[in-house]
Amino acid sequence: MNTGSDRGTNESATGDTATETTAQTAAETAEETPHVSKAPAFIKASKSLHLSWQVGVFIVGLAVIAAGVAMLVLPGPGWVAIFAGLAIWATEFAWAHLVLRWTKRKVTEAAQKALDPKVRRRNIILTTVGLVIAGALIGFYLWKYGLVLPWDLKDQ
């Protein structure tokens, strides 16, 4: 015998299934859609002009990525610049579009994983332990040698 609560459960389950199916269909359609150049129509009309456009996009994207790699060791938003260069390439190249989509998916998964309470608790504990160890090492150094900066050393 079906009660009202059973029917509500069945309806919500089929609603969830329909939503999942729609999301899967949209994802499959997005994956199957061929990559289309974002160049203006008058550029796509001429093969040599379109090739020149692609070379220009490649050079600009490469410059942005190179600046991003440099900013990994210098001050600046290195990863943001690298992803921006990849996005520039993705406007013209299918392989870059696939790499960018894969990267977005992995970043989203990592963000979801980082929000997991167990992972957050572990990260907080590890950070606290690291700070305590660093504080102990700094305290030991100050106890042993005092506050003497390297450029204030006198020849002895």
Side-chain angles (χ1 to χ4, degrees):
M1 176 156 88
N2 249 349
T3 63
S5 62
D6 290 340
R7 278 181 281 181
T9 304
N10 291 339
E11 288 172 5
S12 67
T14 52
D16 292 342
T17 305
T19 305
E20 290 173 6
T21 305
T22 305
Q24 288 173 353
T25 305
E28 289 170 1
T29 304
E31 289 178 11
E32 293 172 6
T33 305
H35 179 73
V36 179
S37 173
K38 305 289 191 270
F42 73 92
I43 290 177
K44 287 193 247 181
S46 169
K47 187 169 180 83
S48 62
L49 193 57
H50 191 243
L51 182 62
S52 300
W53 176 271
Q54 287 182 328
V55 168
V57 167
F58 183 81
I59 290 171
V60 169
L62 185 63
V64 172
I65 288 176
V69 170
M71 284 188 275
L72 289 175
V73 293
L74 300 171
W79 286 110
V80 173
I82 291 171
F83 294 137
L86 194 56
I88 290 169
W89 278 349
T91 62
E92 286 300 312
F93 305 108
W95 60 268
H97 185 74
L98 294 173
V99 170
L100 188 62
R101 188 174 17 186
W102 178 84
T103 304
K104 284 179 183 178
R105 186 174 50 241
K106 290 298 179 183
V107 167
T108 303
E109 289 172 8
Q112 291 299 322
K113 194 178 207 181
L115 292 176
D116 181 25
K118 291 179 183 177
V119 174
R120 288 187 68 197
R121 190 176 316 116
R122 182 198 66 200
N123 289 345
I124 289 171
I125 290 169
L126 289 175
T127 301
T128 304
V129 168
L131 289 173
V132 167
I133 291 171
L137 291 173
I138 291 170
F140 176 75
Y141 178 85
L142 291 174
W143 172 73
K144 182 83 172 164
Y145 302 106
L147 185 59
V148 178
L149 300 175
W151 49 85
D152 289 338
L153 292 176
K154 296 181 179 146
D155 292 331
Q156 293 178 0

